Amino acid sequence: MSYAVSAPGDFPGVRRAYDTVAADYAAYFPDTRAEASLDLAMVDAFAEAIPPGEDARVLDAGCGTGRMSRYLADRGCRVQGVDLSPGMVAMARRDNPDLAFAVGSLTELPYPNDRFAGVLLWYSIIHTPPAGQSRIFAEAARVLRPGGHLLVGFQSGEGIRDVAPAYRRFGHEIQLDRHLYLADQVAAELAAVGLREVGRMVRRARDTERDDHAAVLAEAR
């Protein structure tokens, strides 16, 4: 969950922000307890679509502290995590020493074509403005093998939210926005890079959440 740009391709701000909050983020979100059952149902459907064995390679793109990497690994996936923030990757390696993590950008994934049977973008696109979305999805499609699956999770709606206040309670002064997207917008981006939508979930905000949430599952042709 740790990609942000003020303009397409401008990443230093989000890297600094997530490097700053990495330790507190890992402590506050140690696992999937923040996800609703509907959210995890989509992740489970994604994991079940990955073939078992040596072909079960999955990229957790925007892995943050590795909590979703662990969830997928526990379901039989061979997970590789990648994140823009060295601080977040350090937390992921600390808490998941048996999994592989690398520092890298969603817009320039450090992997060859057709490498993975699955790509997870779990709240990885939310800090990137609309003009930068096509590059992210093109890269995800590039490293996804034919017949592979991609799952995108995000807050649903329109507009921009200031995320910084949520971190002030931990004593962090950062600058970080997140962008809301509609499922139709994400599905259109996926179709533009040759991926076919398999299904989607949209749920209403719950508890202290401010926005609705959505996930779109797609398959590479």
Side-chain angles (χ1 to χ4, degrees):
M1 297 184 190
S2 46
Y3 286 82
V5 289
S6 57
D10 178 19
F11 296 108
V14 69
R15 184 184 294 113
R16 286 193 299 269
Y18 276 104
D19 282 348
T20 298
V21 306
D24 283 324
Y25 190 103
Y28 194 74
F29 296 107
D31 49 33
T32 60
R33 70 188 66 180
E35 270 70 31
S37 58
L38 285 172
D39 305 335
L40 293 178
M42 291 297 290
V43 181
D44 290 342
F46 168 74
E48 290 170 4
I50 306 302
E54 291 297 312
D55 289 334
R57 284 195 294 262
V58 170
L59 179 64
D60 184 2
C63 64
T65 56
R67 64 192 189 90
M68 300 308 295
S69 298
R70 169 53 56 198
Y71 188 86
L72 290 172
D74 288 346
R75 281 147 186 81
C77 297
R78 297 178 58 203
V79 184
Q80 167 72 60
V82 63
D83 199 275
L84 182 69
S85 163
M88 297 291 267
V89 168
M91 295 295 101
R93 289 170 174 164
R94 182 199 69 181
D95 295 339
N96 304 278
D98 57 321
L99 302 181
F101 298 96
V103 176
S105 170
L106 285 180
T107 60
E108 293 183 62
L109 293 172
Y111 307 103
N113 296 351
D114 305 331
R115 172 71 174 173
F116 297 99
V119 175
L120 179 68
L121 290 166
W122 198 245
Y123 295 81
S124 306
I125 69 169
I126 61 174
H127 301 305
T128 301
Q133 294 294 319
S134 60
R135 179 63 183 272
I136 290 176
F137 289 120
E139 273 294 275
R142 180 184 65 78
V143 301
L144 190 63
R145 70 180 60 148
H149 287 77
L150 182 147
L151 180 64
V152 190
F154 50 98
Q155 282 94 355
S156 176
E158 298 177 292
I160 302 173
R161 303 288 192 220
D162 181 5
V163 181
Y167 290 99
R168 291 197 182 109
R169 57 180 157 167
F170 299 110
H172 300 303
E173 287 295 336
I174 62 170
Q175 294 183 349
L176 190 62
D177 292 333
R178 64 174 168 83
H179 297 257
L180 304 176
Y181 293 102
L182 298 173
D184 283 344
Q185 292 175 296
V186 171
E189 293 280 3
L190 296 174
V193 295
L195 303 182
R196 179 185 67 86
E197 180 182 349
V198 174
R200 67 176 70 179
M201 180 278 298
V202 180
R203 68 167 177 84
R204 299 307 174 209
R206 60 175 190 137
D207 301 328
T208 60
E209 292 175 342
R210 186 176 180 183
D211 300 297
D212 296 344
H213 289 244
V216 178
L217 179 64
E219 182 179 14
R221 299 172 183 173

